[in-house]
C-alpha cells in the first residue's frame, strides 16, 4: 500500500488535491447563477432565490444571512445596496442553500441507478521534476458507483470528509492509488 504524500511539490511537481478537483467539478455541475453578485441582475437573482419561499428564507438565515425582511425588500427594489460584508454573506448563503437543495438530484444523477459515473483522473504535472525523481503516472479512468458520501461532504463543505471519500474512491485504482492523491484535474459529467 502506498504512503500518503507528506511533502508534495518538494521536487517540483504541481497539482491540487484530488478532492478539491472533484469539488470544483461538482460546483460546475450545480449551475450557479453566472452573473456576478456585484451587478444588479446577479444580486437580484440571488435574493429572489433566497427569499422565494419561507423555507428559502429560513435556510438563508441558517446560512448566515441575518438581515431584516425590510432590508431584503429594499435590496430587491434597488432602494439600497448591500455593503461588501453583506454581499459576501448573500453569496455564501446562496451557495450553501443551492448546494443543500441539489444534493438528492445530483447524487441520483451521478449514481445512475447503480451504474455509476466514469471519472477521468489527470495526474499531477511533473514537467518541473528532474528525471531521477519522476514518478511513472498516467491518465486513468475509474467508474464510481457510489457518490453519496462525497456529494454529502461537498454539500456540507467538509474538507476532511471530502478527502477521506476521495481516498476511498482512488483506492480502487490498485496499489498505485497514492500517485493520484494530487492531480491536475478530475473530470466527469452527469
Amino acid at each position: 500500500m502506498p504512503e500518503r504524500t507528506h511533502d508534495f511539490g518538494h521536487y517540483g511537481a504541481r497539482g491540487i488535491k484530488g478532492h478539491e478537483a472533484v469539488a470544483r467539478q461538482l460546483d460546475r455541475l450545480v449551475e450557479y447563477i453566472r452573473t456576478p453578485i456585484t451587478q444588479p441582475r446577479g444580486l437580484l437573482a440571488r435574493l429572489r432565490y433566497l427569499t422565494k419561499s419561507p423555507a428559502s428564507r429560513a435556510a438563508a438565515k441558517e446560512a448566515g444571512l441575518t438581515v431584516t425582511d425590510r432590508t431584503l425588500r429594499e435590496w430587491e427594489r434597488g432602494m439600497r445596496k448591500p455593503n461588501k460584508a453583506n454581499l459576501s454573506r448573500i453569496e455564501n448563503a446562496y451557495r450553501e442553500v443551492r448546494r443543500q437543495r441539489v444534493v438528492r438530484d445530483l447524487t441520483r444523477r451521478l449514481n445512475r441507478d447503480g451504474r455509476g459515473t466514469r471519472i477521468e483522473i489527470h495526474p499531477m504535472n511533473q514537467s518541473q521534476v528532474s528525471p531521477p525523481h519522476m514518478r511513472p503516472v498516467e491518465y486513468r479512468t475509474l467508474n464510481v458507483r457510489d457518490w453519496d458520501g462525497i456529494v454529502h461532504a461537498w454539500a456540507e463543505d467538509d474538507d476532511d470528509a471530502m478527502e477521506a471519500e476521495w481516498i476511498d474512491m482512488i483506492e480502487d485504482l490498485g496499489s498505485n492509488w497514492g500517485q493520484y492523491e494530487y492531480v491536475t484535474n478530475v473530470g466527469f459529467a452527469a
Side-chain angles (χ1 to χ4, degrees), residues 45-116:
R46 285 166 179 81
L47 289 174
R48 284 185 180 156
Y49 187 85
L50 292 171
T51 61
K52 65 182 169 186
S53 70
S56 297
R57 285 189 179 136
K61 286 188 187 222
E62 189 175 309
L65 185 61
T66 56
V67 295
T68 64
D69 290 338
R70 178 181 173 191
T71 302
L72 284 173
R73 281 192 305 272
E74 288 176 352
W75 287 345
E76 287 175 335
R77 293 179 185 150
M79 297 168 60
R80 284 181 25 190
K81 292 185 178 182
N83 61 25
K84 286 184 181 183
N86 281 330
L87 283 176
S88 177
R89 285 188 193 105
I90 293 167
E91 182 68 23
N92 292 338
Y94 165 71
R95 286 186 173 272
E96 189 172 321
V97 170
R98 179 76 178 140
R99 279 181 171 193
Q100 294 301 322
R101 292 222 169 128
V102 300
V103 167
R104 188 173 56 220
D105 180 57
L106 189 58
T107 304
R108 182 185 53 76
R109 285 176 21 206
L110 291 168
N111 285 339
R112 292 181 18 185
D113 296 323
R115 292 186 312 263

Side-chain angles (χ1 to χ4, degrees), residues 4-181:
R4 303 279 302 269
T5 305
H6 297 289
D7 191 16
F8 181 74
H10 180 76
Y11 293 109
R14 292 178 291 183
I16 60 173
K17 288 201 170 215
H19 72 277
E20 292 172 0
V22 171
R24 286 181 187 177
Q25 188 64 20
L26 288 171
D27 281 338
R28 286 186 196 112
L29 291 175
V30 170
E31 298 177 3
Y32 294 115
I33 297 169
R34 295 199 174 142
T35 307
I37 193 168
T38 54
Q39 294 181 2
R41 179 180 175 182
L43 174 62
L44 187 59
R46 285 166 179 81
L47 289 174
R48 284 185 180 156
Y49 187 85
L50 292 171
T51 61
K52 65 182 169 186
S53 70
S56 297
R57 285 189 179 136
K61 286 188 187 222
E62 189 175 309
L65 185 61
T66 56
V67 295
T68 64
D69 290 338
R70 178 181 173 191
T71 302
L72 284 173
R73 281 192 305 272
E74 288 176 352
W75 287 345
E76 287 175 335
R77 293 179 185 150
M79 297 168 60
R80 284 181 25 190
K81 292 185 178 182
N83 61 25
K84 286 184 181 183
N86 281 330
L87 283 176
S88 177
R89 285 188 193 105
I90 293 167
E91 182 68 23
N92 292 338
Y94 165 71
R95 286 186 173 272
E96 189 172 321
V97 170
R98 179 76 178 140
R99 279 181 171 193
Q100 294 301 322
R101 292 222 169 128
V102 300
V103 167
R104 188 173 56 220
D105 180 57
L106 189 58
T107 304
R108 182 185 53 76
R109 285 176 21 206
L110 291 168
N111 285 339
R112 292 181 18 185
D113 296 323
R115 292 186 312 263
T117 299
R118 183 176 66 106
I119 64 172
E120 300 172 350
I121 306 171
H122 300 259
M124 64 185 135
N125 181 345
Q126 296 187 82
S127 62
Q128 302 298 314
V129 179
S130 62
H133 298 290
M134 283 187 168
R135 292 176 114 174
V137 294
E138 59 186 22
Y139 164 88
R140 297 287 302 263
T141 61
L142 177 67
N143 192 32
V144 179
R145 296 184 193 290
D146 183 17
W147 286 86
D148 296 359
I150 201 153
V151 171
H152 286 286
W154 164 79
E156 296 296 323
D157 203 18
D158 185 349
D159 202 45
D160 294 333
M162 284 265 315
E163 185 172 16
E165 290 291 334
W166 171 251
I167 297 301
D168 285 347
M169 267 189 202
I170 62 173
E171 283 178 344
D172 290 343
L173 292 173
S175 63
N176 66 347
W177 66 265
Q179 297 173 1
Y180 300 95
E181 185 179 356

